Amino acid sequence: MNDPASAKPRLSVRHLSVQFRPRGMLPGLRRGHILALDDLHIDVRHGETIGFVGESGCGKTVLARALAGLQKSITGSIRCDGEELRATAKKDTSLLRHPIQLIEENPFADFKTRRKIGDIIGEALRLQTPKLDTQARDAHVAALLARVGLPDELAQKTLKALTAPERARVALARALGAQPKVLLCDAPAAQLDDEAREAFIELVVDVAQQMDLALLLFAQEPTALRPYCSRLLTMTLGKVMEQAPTDALLDAPRHPYTRALLERAAISEQSPLATHKKRAAKSAAPALQHPPMGCVFHPRCPLAESACVRSEPHLRRVGPEHYAACHFVGDGSQS
Ligand code: SF4
């Protein structure tokens, strides 16, 4: 890009960690806290889409909520177009004014089903532009509905009257009403069938590119994000295990954890449910309260050696724009 402003990352994250004490803490916890996210660094360009993948409980949702200002007990830096958000968050606690907007897996779980769609979307507009009169706000709501492919009559309907695909699009319209610079989509439209989910993700990606937003998608299945993301990161127990351009990560994964994720995804596509469940249980992640010493993947890693228990590997370059946190990747023995 030639524009110097857009050469800077839209989103820049440094040393982001989330650490909290569990309620009714049990004796024997390592250091007496839960490290839900450990020292994460990310840069995302204007209009770029990247994906985070990993099993349930790997830290994806904590990361999404931390970026969107919904998570407490954060350390580190989150910058959006160069502005430190953790400083402004103390002055402005309204999440609908936050430049990073999150579309959660079940975005209307806390909403009354009788609420009108026009009010739900208009709330974000009201906070962004308090002086807008009712007529202008209605026009804005209609424009947002059109942008997500919904008719403007929908503004008069209630949440209860909407289908699941329509609700997903309303969640996107509401997020756009907050005039975000970064969009996050956690388990995008997971409740929809395959066709509707694909259509929704395509819409989100399309809108993000048109508006030059950075887009972060979070999913369990790595291959599900292939068509949309320029880069993928795999996570377990709050740590990034591997980061690479999408095709490199999916076609030539370097980290044993990424390989295990891809294997499991292939099994779930091909094998009967019972076999899949059995294998999935065997390879389940340890509890976040009791992270293994050294490499957190070592209890499940078929290539683990004593060094993996003694010391924790950190992300290092193993190829062009390709990083992996494994002691042995790159020495030729596991490539
Ligand atoms: S550091 Fe050791 S345990 Fe961890 S992924 Fe690499 S080989 Fe496996």
Side-chain angles (χ1 to χ4, degrees):
M1 287 188 197
N2 295 327
D3 178 4
S6 51
K8 283 190 190 163
R10 256 293 190 206
L11 176 69
S12 184
V13 174
R14 292 291 176 273
H15 301 293
L16 184 64
S17 295
V18 174
Q19 180 175 298
F20 49 86
R21 278 178 181 276
R23 265 194 224 148
M25 200 178 72
L26 297 169
L29 288 181
R30 192 167 74 160
R31 296 189 296 276
H33 61 246
I34 292 176
L35 189 57
L37 203 63
D38 187 12
D39 199 30
L40 204 107
H41 299 252
I42 329 164
D43 282 324
V44 193
R45 297 186 299 273
H46 290 239
E48 186 185 13
T49 300
I50 70 167
F52 289 82
V53 288
E55 65 231 322
S56 172
C58 72
K60 302 184 300 287
T61 297
V62 172
L63 169 60
R65 291 178 63 80
L67 294 174
L70 293 160
Q71 183 73 51
K72 289 183 181 160
S73 311
I74 294 177
T75 54
S77 160
I78 304 170
R79 287 181 179 271
C80 204
D81 285 349
E83 185 191 359
E84 177 56 59
L85 298 186
R86 297 205 47 238
T88 51
K90 288 179 189 138
K91 295 180 209 147
D92 184 355
T93 52
S94 170
L95 294 171
L96 283 171
R97 272 198 287 256
H98 202 280
I100 303 179
Q101 285 292 311
L102 167 63
I103 303 171
E104 294 185 276
E105 181 175 353
N106 190 359
F108 298 118
D110 298 330
F111 282 61
K112 289 201 172 99
T113 53
R114 280 170 299 171
R115 278 191 75 181
K116 289 241 176 86
I117 301 308
D119 293 340
I120 289 171
I121 299 173
E123 193 181 2
L125 294 171
R126 209 165 26 244
L127 283 166
Q128 286 296 330
T129 326
K131 287 185 182 156
L132 266 190
D133 62 31
T134 312
Q135 207 178 357
R137 198 158 57 231
D138 289 349
H140 228 100
V141 169
L144 285 168
L145 285 170
R147 174 144 236 166
V148 300
L150 294 173
D152 56 3
E153 308 89 80
L154 218 84
Q156 299 310 317
K157 290 194 176 176
T158 61
L159 261 184
K160 196 176 175 183
L162 264 51
T163 63
E166 285 170 338
R167 282 185 183 212
R169 286 170 186 246
V170 167
L172 173 59
R174 177 176 157 90
L176 295 177
Q179 299 173 19
K181 294 175 177 173
V182 179
L183 259 188
L184 317 172
C185 224
D186 189 12
Q191 71 282 13
L192 304 185
D193 63 38
D194 289 352
E195 199 179 324
R197 183 167 53 250
E198 246 170 61
F200 178 70
I201 300 176
E202 273 167 23
L203 172 69
V204 177
V205 172
D206 196 41
V207 167
Q209 283 175 355
Q210 280 175 24
M211 296 177 71
D212 208 22
L213 310 179
L215 174 63
L216 279 61
L217 301 174
F218 300 82
Q220 286 199 26
E221 296 284 328
T223 47
L225 298 184
R226 189 197 283 270
Y228 316 109
C229 298
S230 59
R231 277 183 289 150
L232 291 180
L233 296 89
T234 57
M235 291 181 73
T236 188
L237 294 173
K239 296 171 195 291
V240 172
M241 295 284 106
E242 187 167 4
Q243 170 180 337
T246 300
D247 288 344
L249 188 130
L250 295 178
D251 297 336
R254 305 292 302 279
H255 197 287
Y257 172 69
T258 308
R259 291 178 188 172
L261 272 183
L262 289 167
E263 251 169 48
R264 214 179 311 166
I267 288 167
S268 74
E269 271 174 24
Q270 293 160 13
S271 300
L273 193 59
T275 308
H276 171 54
K277 276 187 176 167
K278 217 161 123 190
R279 291 197 189 204
K282 207 175 154 195
S283 56
L288 205 52
Q289 289 92 330
H290 303 285
M293 301 300 287
C295 174
V296 291
F297 189 55
H298 86 254
R300 298 183 286 160
C301 181
L303 305 164
E305 295 187 14
S306 55
C308 308
V309 184
R310 281 198 309 271
S311 71
E312 181 180 349
H314 296 286
L315 274 183
R316 62 191 172 83
R317 195 170 179 275
V318 295
E321 297 178 72
H322 200 144
Y323 301 84
C326 173
H327 291 310
F328 304 114
V329 169
D331 70 357
S333 62
Q334 295 172 30
S335 300

Coordinates of all heavy atoms in Angstrom, one line a residue, residues 121-160:
I121 N -29.6 -2.1 16.8 CA -28.5 -1.5 16.0 C -28.4 0.0 16.3 O -27.3 0.5 16.4 CB -28.9 -1.7 14.5 CG1 -29.0 -3.2 14.2 CG2 -27.8 -1.1 13.6 CD1 -29.4 -3.5 12.8
G122 N -29.5 0.6 16.6 CA -29.5 2.1 16.8 C -28.7 2.4 18.1 O -28.2 3.6 18.2
E123 N -28.7 1.5 19.1 CA -28.0 1.8 20.3 C -26.5 2.2 20.1 O -26.0 3.1 20.7 CB -28.1 0.5 21.2 CG -27.7 0.8 22.6 CD -27.8 -0.5 23.4 OE1 -28.1 -1.6 22.9 OE2 -27.5 -0.4 24.6
A124 N -25.9 1.4 19.2 CA -24.5 1.7 18.9 C -24.3 3.0 18.2 O -23.4 3.8 18.5 CB -23.9 0.6 18.0
L125 N -25.3 3.3 17.3 CA -25.2 4.6 16.6 C -25.4 5.8 17.5 O -24.8 6.8 17.4 CB -26.3 4.7 15.5 CG -26.1 3.7 14.3 CD1 -27.4 3.7 13.5 CD2 -24.9 4.1 13.5
R126 N -26.3 5.6 18.5 CA -26.6 6.6 19.5 C -25.4 7.0 20.3 O -25.1 8.2 20.6 CB -27.7 6.2 20.4 CG -28.6 7.3 20.9 CD -29.9 6.8 21.6 NE -30.0 5.5 22.1 CZ -30.7 4.5 21.6 NH1 -31.5 4.7 20.6 NH2 -30.7 3.3 22.2
L127 N -24.6 6.0 20.6 CA -23.4 6.2 21.4 C -22.3 6.9 20.6 O -21.6 7.7 21.1 CB -22.9 4.9 22.0 CG -23.7 4.4 23.2 CD1 -23.3 3.0 23.5 CD2 -23.4 5.3 24.4
Q128 N -22.2 6.5 19.3 CA -21.2 7.0 18.5 C -21.5 8.5 18.1 O -20.6 9.3 18.0 CB -21.1 6.2 17.2 CG -20.4 4.9 17.3 CD -19.0 5.0 17.7 OE1 -18.3 6.0 17.4 NE2 -18.5 4.1 18.5
T129 N -22.8 8.7 17.8 CA -23.2 10.1 17.3 C -24.5 10.5 18.1 O -25.6 10.3 17.6 CB -23.5 10.0 15.8 OG1 -22.6 9.1 15.2 CG2 -23.4 11.4 15.1
P130 N -24.3 11.0 19.3 CA -25.5 11.3 20.1 C -26.4 12.3 19.5 O -27.6 12.4 19.8 CB -24.8 11.8 21.4 CG -23.4 11.5 21.4 CD -23.0 11.3 19.9
K131 N -25.9 13.2 18.6 CA -26.7 14.3 18.1 C -27.6 13.8 16.9 O -28.4 14.6 16.4 CB -25.8 15.5 17.7 CG -25.3 16.2 18.9 CD -24.5 17.4 18.5 CE -23.9 18.0 19.8 NZ -22.8 18.8 19.5
L132 N -27.4 12.6 16.4 CA -28.2 12.2 15.3 C -29.7 12.2 15.7 O -30.1 11.7 16.8 CB -27.9 10.7 15.0 CG -26.9 10.4 13.9 CD1 -26.9 8.9 13.6 CD2 -27.1 11.1 12.7
D133 N -30.6 12.8 14.8 CA -32.0 12.8 15.2 C -32.6 11.4 14.8 O -31.9 10.6 14.1 CB -32.7 14.0 14.5 CG -32.7 14.0 13.0 OD1 -32.6 12.9 12.5 OD2 -32.7 15.0 12.4
T134 N -33.8 11.2 15.2 CA -34.4 9.9 14.9 C -34.5 9.5 13.5 O -34.1 8.4 13.1 CB -35.9 9.9 15.5 OG1 -35.8 10.5 16.8 CG2 -36.4 8.5 15.6
Q135 N -34.8 10.5 12.6 CA -34.9 10.2 11.2 C -33.5 9.8 10.6 O -33.4 8.8 9.9 CB -35.4 11.5 10.5 CG -36.1 11.1 9.2 CD -36.6 12.4 8.6 OE1 -36.5 13.5 9.1 NE2 -37.2 12.2 7.4
A136 N -32.5 10.5 11.0 CA -31.2 10.2 10.5 C -30.7 8.8 11.0 O -30.1 8.1 10.3 CB -30.2 11.3 10.9
R137 N -31.1 8.6 12.3 CA -30.7 7.3 12.9 C -31.4 6.1 12.2 O -30.7 5.1 11.9 CB -30.9 7.3 14.4 CG -30.2 6.2 15.1 CD -30.0 6.4 16.5 NE -31.3 6.6 17.2 CZ -31.6 7.6 18.0 NH1 -30.7 8.6 18.3 NH2 -32.7 7.7 18.6
D138 N -32.7 6.3 11.9 CA -33.4 5.3 11.2 C -32.8 5.0 9.8 O -32.7 3.9 9.3 CB -34.9 5.6 11.0 CG -35.6 5.6 12.3 OD1 -35.0 5.1 13.3 OD2 -36.8 6.1 12.4
A139 N -32.4 6.1 9.1 CA -31.7 6.0 7.8 C -30.4 5.2 7.9 O -30.1 4.3 7.1 CB -31.5 7.3 7.2
H140 N -29.7 5.5 9.0 CA -28.4 4.8 9.2 C -28.6 3.3 9.5 O -27.9 2.5 9.0 CB -27.8 5.5 10.5 CG -26.4 5.8 10.3 ND1 -25.9 7.1 10.0 CD2 -25.2 5.0 10.3 CE1 -24.6 7.1 9.8 NE2 -24.2 5.9 10.0
V141 N -29.7 3.0 10.3 CA -30.0 1.6 10.6 C -30.3 0.9 9.3 O -29.9 -0.2 9.1 CB -31.1 1.5 11.6 CG1 -31.7 0.1 11.7 CG2 -30.7 2.0 13.0
A142 N -31.1 1.6 8.5 CA -31.5 0.9 7.2 C -30.3 0.7 6.3 O -30.2 -0.4 5.7 CB -32.5 1.8 6.5
A143 N -29.3 1.6 6.3 CA -28.1 1.5 5.5 C -27.3 0.3 6.1 O -26.7 -0.5 5.3 CB -27.3 2.8 5.6
L144 N -27.2 0.2 7.4 CA -26.5 -0.9 8.0 C -27.1 -2.3 7.7 O -26.4 -3.3 7.3 CB -26.3 -0.8 9.5 CG -25.3 0.3 9.9 CD1 -25.5 0.6 11.4 CD2 -23.9 -0.2 9.6
L145 N -28.5 -2.3 7.7 CA -29.2 -3.5 7.4 C -28.9 -3.9 5.9 O -28.6 -5.1 5.6 CB -30.7 -3.4 7.6 CG -31.1 -3.4 9.1 CD1 -32.6 -3.0 9.2 CD2 -30.9 -4.8 9.7
A146 N -28.9 -2.9 5.0 CA -28.6 -3.1 3.6 C -27.2 -3.7 3.4 O -27.0 -4.6 2.6 CB -28.8 -1.9 2.8
R147 N -26.3 -3.1 4.2 CA -24.9 -3.5 4.1 C -24.7 -5.0 4.4 O -23.8 -5.7 3.9 CB -24.1 -2.7 5.0 CG -22.6 -3.1 5.1 CD -21.7 -1.8 5.2 NE -20.8 -1.9 4.2 CZ -20.0 -0.8 3.9 NH1 -20.1 0.3 4.5 NH2 -19.1 -0.9 2.9
V148 N -25.6 -5.5 5.3 CA -25.4 -7.0 5.7 C -26.5 -7.8 4.9 O -26.7 -9.0 5.3 CB -25.5 -7.2 7.2 CG1 -24.4 -6.4 7.9 CG2 -26.9 -6.8 7.8
G149 N -27.1 -7.2 3.9 CA -28.0 -8.0 3.1 C -29.4 -8.3 3.6 O -30.0 -9.3 3.3
L150 N -29.8 -7.4 4.5 CA -31.2 -7.5 5.1 C -32.1 -6.4 4.7 O -31.6 -5.2 4.6 CB -31.1 -7.6 6.6 CG -30.3 -8.8 7.2 CD1 -30.2 -8.6 8.7 CD2 -31.1 -10.1 6.9
P151 N -33.4 -6.6 4.6 CA -34.3 -5.5 4.2 C -34.5 -4.6 5.3 O -34.5 -5.0 6.5 CB -35.6 -6.3 3.8 CG -35.5 -7.6 4.6 CD -34.1 -7.9 4.7
D152 N -34.8 -3.3 5.0 CA -35.0 -2.3 6.1 C -36.2 -2.5 7.0 O -36.3 -2.1 8.1 CB -34.9 -0.9 5.6 CG -35.9 -0.6 4.5 OD1 -36.7 -1.5 4.2 OD2 -35.9 0.6 4.0
E153 N -37.2 -3.3 6.4 CA -38.4 -3.6 7.3 C -38.0 -4.4 8.5 O -38.8 -4.4 9.5 CB -39.5 -4.4 6.5 CG -39.9 -4.0 5.2 CD -39.0 -4.5 4.1 OE1 -39.2 -5.7 3.7 OE2 -38.1 -3.8 3.7
L154 N -36.9 -5.0 8.5 CA -36.5 -5.9 9.6 C -36.3 -5.0 10.9 O -36.4 -5.6 12.0 CB -35.2 -6.6 9.2 CG -35.1 -8.0 9.8 CD1 -35.7 -9.0 8.8 CD2 -33.6 -8.4 9.9
A155 N -36.0 -3.7 10.7 CA -35.8 -2.8 11.8 C -37.0 -2.9 12.8 O -36.9 -2.7 14.0 CB -35.5 -1.4 11.4
Q156 N -38.2 -3.1 12.2 CA -39.4 -3.1 13.1 C -39.7 -4.5 13.7 O -40.6 -4.6 14.6 CB -40.6 -2.7 12.2 CG -40.6 -1.3 11.6 CD -40.2 -0.3 12.6 OE1 -40.7 -0.3 13.8 NE2 -39.3 0.6 12.3
K157 N -39.0 -5.5 13.3 CA -39.2 -6.8 13.9 C -38.5 -7.0 15.2 O -37.5 -6.2 15.5 CB -38.7 -7.9 12.9 CG -39.6 -8.0 11.7 CD -39.3 -9.3 11.0 CE -40.2 -9.4 9.8 NZ -39.9 -10.6 9.0
T158 N -38.8 -8.0 16.0 CA -38.2 -8.3 17.2 C -37.1 -9.4 17.0 O -37.2 -10.1 16.0 CB -39.1 -8.8 18.3 OG1 -39.8 -10.0 17.9 CG2 -40.2 -7.7 18.6
L159 N -36.2 -9.5 17.9 CA -35.2 -10.6 17.8 C -35.9 -12.0 17.7 O -35.4 -12.8 16.9 CB -34.4 -10.7 19.1 CG -33.0 -10.0 19.2 CD1 -32.4 -10.3 20.5 CD2 -32.1 -10.5 18.1
K160 N -37.0 -12.1 18.5 CA -37.7 -13.4 18.5 C -38.2 -13.8 17.1 O -38.2 -15.0 16.8 CB -38.9 -13.3 19.4 CG -39.5 -14.6 19.9 CD -40.6 -14.3 20.9 CE -41.3 -15.6 21.2 NZ -42.4 -15.3 22.1

